Amino acid sequence: MRPKLYKEKETVEILGVEVFATGTHNGDSYDVADLEQMVGAAEKVGFEAPLKLGHMEDADTAALLKKEGMPAFGWVRNLRVQGKKLLADFMEVPKRLGELIKKG
């Protein structure tokens, strides 16, 4: 069971966030079947994935989380394929960060 975000922190939900899409990324090609495999693998993992900011190094992420007093920047739920995109719902995202994500 994952830790809950501190109750004194106001959080938001952000539904239907594009987290990946078909195409070529870092020299590798991905199609819809690959996205569906990602969803299947996520369902088998057995834990809820924590959010991190972009491609921050783990030590930088940990330092920022500690400063903010949180175990994660939120949690990924409901990973799914829609068309050629991989979507997810971000749950328990700190309100301040949620506002930034919604602005793109």
Side-chain angles (χ1 to χ4, degrees), residues 56-70:
M56 288 177 67
E57 295 296 324
D58 288 342
D60 295 332
T61 299
L64 184 54
L65 286 169
K66 183 175 181 181
K67 179 180 175 187
E68 291 293 322
M70 298 179 296

Side-chain angles (χ1 to χ4, degrees), residues 7 11 29 33 37 45 50 60 68 70 74 76-77 91 96:
K7 292 186 184 219
T11 63
S29 294
Q37 287 180 340
V45 171
D60 295 332
E68 291 293 322
M70 298 179 296
V76 177
R77 289 192 193 142
M91 311 304 285
R96 187 167 41 137

Side-chain angles (χ1 to χ4, degrees), residues 31-50:
D31 59 21
V32 173
D34 294 314
L35 301 183
E36 290 169 350
Q37 287 180 340
M38 291 175 195
V39 171
E43 292 170 354
K44 291 179 184 177
V45 171
F47 71 92
E48 197 167 26

